[in-house]
Amino acid sequence: MIRLTHVTKTYARSGTALSDVTLRVGKGEFVFLTGPSGAGKSTILKLSYLEEMPTSGEVKVSGVSSATASRNDVAKLRRKLGIVFQDFRLLENRTAEQNVSFALEVIGTPKANIPNKVARALTQVGLASKANALPRELSGGEQQRVAIARALVNDPFLLIADEPTGNLDERATRGIFQLLREINAAGTAVVMATHNLELVRSSDFRTVELDHGKIVFDSAAEGAAS
Amino acid sequence: MIRLTHVTKTYARSGTALSDVTLRVGKGEFVFLTGPSGAGKSTILKLSYLEEMPTSGEVKVSGVSSATASRNDVAKLRRKLGIVFQDFRLLENRTAEQNVSFALEVIGTPKANIPNKVARALTQVGLASKANALPRELSGGEQQRVAIARALVNDPFLLIADEPTGNLDERATRGIFQLLREINAAGTAVVMATHNLELVRSSDFRTVELDHGKIVFDSAAEGAAS
Amino acid sequence: MSAWRDVGRDLRRAPVLNMLTVTTIAFSLFAFGLFGLVAVNIRAALLKVEERVEIRAFATEGTDVAPIAAAARQVQGYPEVMSATVVTEQQALARARQELGEFSDVFEEGFLPASIDVRLKEGHRDPASVKAVATRMHGFDFVDDVRFGEEWITQLYRLRNIAFVAGVALGLSFAGVAVIIIGATIRMAIMARAREISIMRLVGATDGYIKRPFLLEGMLKGLLGGMLAIAMTYFAMKSIEHYLHFETVFFERRFVILGVLAGALLGVVGSSLSVGRHLRQAI
Amino acid sequence: MSAWRDVGRDLRRAPVLNMLTVTTIAFSLFAFGLFGLVAVNIRAALLKVEERVEIRAFATEGTDVAPIAAAARQVQGYPEVMSATVVTEQQALARARQELGEFSDVFEEGFLPASIDVRLKEGHRDPASVKAVATRMHGFDFVDDVRFGEEWITQLYRLRNIAFVAGVALGLSFAGVAVIIIGATIRMAIMARAREISIMRLVGATDGYIKRPFLLEGMLKGLLGGMLAIAMTYFAMKSIEHYLHFETVFFERRFVILGVLAGALLGVVGSSLSVGRHLRQAI
Ligand SMILES: Nc1ncnc2c1ncn2[C@@H]1O[C@H](COP(=O)(O)OP(=O)(O)OP(=O)(O)O)[C@@H](O)[C@H]1O
Ligand SMILES: Nc1ncnc2c1ncn2[C@@H]1O[C@H](COP(=O)(O)OP(=O)(O)OP(=O)(O)O)[C@@H](O)[C@H]1O
Ligand SMILES: [Mg+2]
Ligand SMILES: [Mg+2]
């Protein structure tokens, strides 16, 4: 599904964000990415949906390789992904509903099916009542949930979520986590960067911990029982 | 310091965000604002720095009343406040350092004093090494800490922080909380909206809980021992 | 259609920018139109003048009318020739008297020669053809002299050629300027929507999908600008006619339509270039 | 200074938008400049023509020179009069002969009247003054007729008045258009920085602080546009001179400086209006 092979990512202005990271995420897996601020979690996720390209090494997602992908390959890959960005990235001039339906329009979903799917996704994140609000008319947590709904609506085979509960209270966090588990149970692989260690501890999903651009712990690795 | 008197805030498009809230925050107090997503925490904070005006009732901050304040009064008030926005609101085209020093330039701090103060604030939030990075070159948590540094740098007499640790890991969160405590101990009043109940429980500061635009719990109120 | 909705939203959002775009397109095409109008009118004037291109072969004094008439019939058979008329000595005198009015007494003696007056068909009035016909007519025995104002015809054609070349050159440079201006204004619209475009890319939109509303927008503005330009050109012509008492010709209907379509094309090309450049830069 | 740094950043960030602004300012002022140039040249031409305004009082045939000379001295004393010259019958004849050249035989008999030729001082060549002087000269006994081309002077002054009024009207409307265009482009720059402005407000910046870089920017662009306009006007004049063999006058130095300053002023006013409007809308 996702395969990072000896990936190093260096930014011209701030040095190395990831150094020699090798990571493999299998089909249908649920993986937590943890680690302190600036460890490289978002960088791994950005590489996975090819927003960033590795400085060296190779990233391969669902058969699309960072070494050979064309602009069109990347667009096609992203249509099959669901992405929750750390900074939401909602379209400012569209309502919650339009932000979600937009993701379906882009991938050419038949017009007739869109309203139902959108309504379902908004209900799943508990935002049915805010369908017609613009992002600036939503609270921080509400915006975050619109971002989650948009990532889920196209039934992705891989969900990439960067800190999807940072602005949510405990109950909403549990609700969203429950939702992600259900989606995962239905076959979607989930990679989720989070600071919420309680969440990580409350389940026994695979956990990958980063620090200073290196993997310092992987619960799936041999001898990780300690 | 802050006095909300029978404040109701109604948004044309989404109804009532706050209804008949009366709240008083004293000099040098430390107050947690909690409550579920959409409860009205950010709305109370926006009213406190007069980004929003109450639909009815009065907001009075440091002698500036929502009923009579001119544009200039508002500008002058804000110079004495420190504000951490839930969505950071950093200037995209300025480095971390410039974003912080900018807050000092605006209030007319003598040029010679600015670099020192900026360096100190960035060090306090653990970002001295990222001084020259633009916001888009920073991780989510790093951006959040720049926002905190900007709020602290002008030695405000009131610090308003909206979910200032949402993107921070546990250690960084504790560090920032420690910093806020020190600042509070030095005399600055702090009002902080947060979802991190652990943080709230770990201290015995006053806690105000909101739900559906109403104050449902205030640890400083009589009979709140339960 | 989502693309149309986007266009509507965008047009409403930045009315000033959009007015500026339409106006610049209109002015570019207006400049183009004004030049075209000058060209069209020069052409019309040339056509009128050309009609008067005439070759006169004068007969030696005293030649009989019969051979002249025979020669005229022969000349009439030349492919370039529209008409070949015989003017006898008497007719030449009468014509001169009429043209000169009160001074007619001078011609009492009748010493004007007979001539064959030849008019050429359209498309054969260029200096080369005229000269060729004149040379052939020199071949008749009785012909004393052939006159056709060589200098004058050459000048006329040089003017026409200059007008043509200047027209193409100016037209192309104006079109270039228009594309650049359109590109610049669309670029501003794109910069204002840069964040939106990058989000679209991130949820999987192809370049084509992203481009579509911008192209539509460019086309709409181009159409509007083109129509405005036509209107402005028309009123400019009317006021020239009115104030300078100068009779003018306007474009034919199909050229008007072509002008508006040219506006649309400019809009699409300008948009396409600047969206393309933006997309190649990002991600 | 932070305001200057902001301006630098802004100018580098949107080169297209900025070029467009400078160009529109330049073109507005160029149009203004061209019109001004026409006005200046009409004025120069008028001055030359005016110098020729002349009143001629013709004496009855056979009048002695003595009273005519006395009258001329008296006329010379009028405040409006620059010079009053006596032209005797002989001189009139000689002048006519010289002017008419070969046809001079016709005047053999010498029947031209003597006259007093009067030129007026600058500032007294308007129809009213000319008429007043002419009327007074009619008062002399020996004066048979006074000629001064009333029609012609009136026409000249009407032309001058029209030129003046048209100049002011067109000048003001061009300035208005320039302010609007500058305002529009600055508004775009503001929209592109709307987020930045709102953040500035939130950390306590006053309106003045926020406005400063925009005003500076407007001023800079206006200065640049003004200089460009001057250059364009100068070259336009030079090429008119070259191609139309038409002698022209350029603006005096102080008007050139005034033009550039006017550009700066337009820039500042345009910016100020649109920033002000934006600030009043927000928060
Ligand atoms: N575009 C960029 N240019 C330069 N440096 C960057 C860029 N993006 C990230 N970095 C740097 O790379 C490092 C890793 O960033 P990343 O966003 O992956 O951290 P993270 O683990 O997601 O942190 P957080 O928990 O705070 O979101 C950081 O030090 C950051 O400053
Ligand atoms: N500008 C606005 N226009 C319309 N409705 C708004 C606006 N801002 C906030 N609201 C609504 O007001 C309610 C309270 O919002 P507020 O931002 O105060 O919530 P919050 O307690 O800060 O939530 P969170 O924890 O998610 O940040 C929400 O339902 C929100 O949708
Ligand atoms: Mg991150
Ligand atoms: Mg909030």
Side-chain angles (χ1 to χ4, degrees), chain C residues 16-17 20 184-185 187-188 191, chain D residues 14 16-17 20 184-185 187-188:
Chain C
V16 176
L17 185 55
L20 206 73
T185 48
R187 230 176 101 75
M188 278 179 257
M191 285 181 335
Chain D
V16 176
L17 184 57
L20 206 74
T185 47
R187 231 175 100 74
M188 279 179 256

Side-chain angles (χ1 to χ4, degrees), chain A residues 11-18 35-44 46 52 86 162-163 193 195 210, chain B residues 130 133 136-143 145 167-169:
Chain A
Y11 288 110
R13 283 168 56 98
S14 72
T16 305
L18 285 183
S37 173
K41 302 181 295 297
S42 297
T43 303
I44 284 192
K46 283 178 191 163
E52 297 284 354
Q86 191 167 10
D162 199 348
E163 198 79 56
H195 289 301
L210 287 166
Chain B
K130 295 281 175 184
R136 66 165 165 280
E137 297 166 349
L138 294 171
S139 80
E142 288 163 351
Q143 288 178 34
R145 284 180 282 162
N167 284 275
L168 298 180
D169 57 293

Side-chain angles (χ1 to χ4, degrees), chain A residues 139-141 167, chain B residues 38 40-43 86 162-163 193 195:
Chain A
S139 80
N167 284 275
Chain B
K41 303 181 293 297
S42 297
T43 303
Q86 192 168 9
D162 199 348
E163 198 78 55
H195 290 302

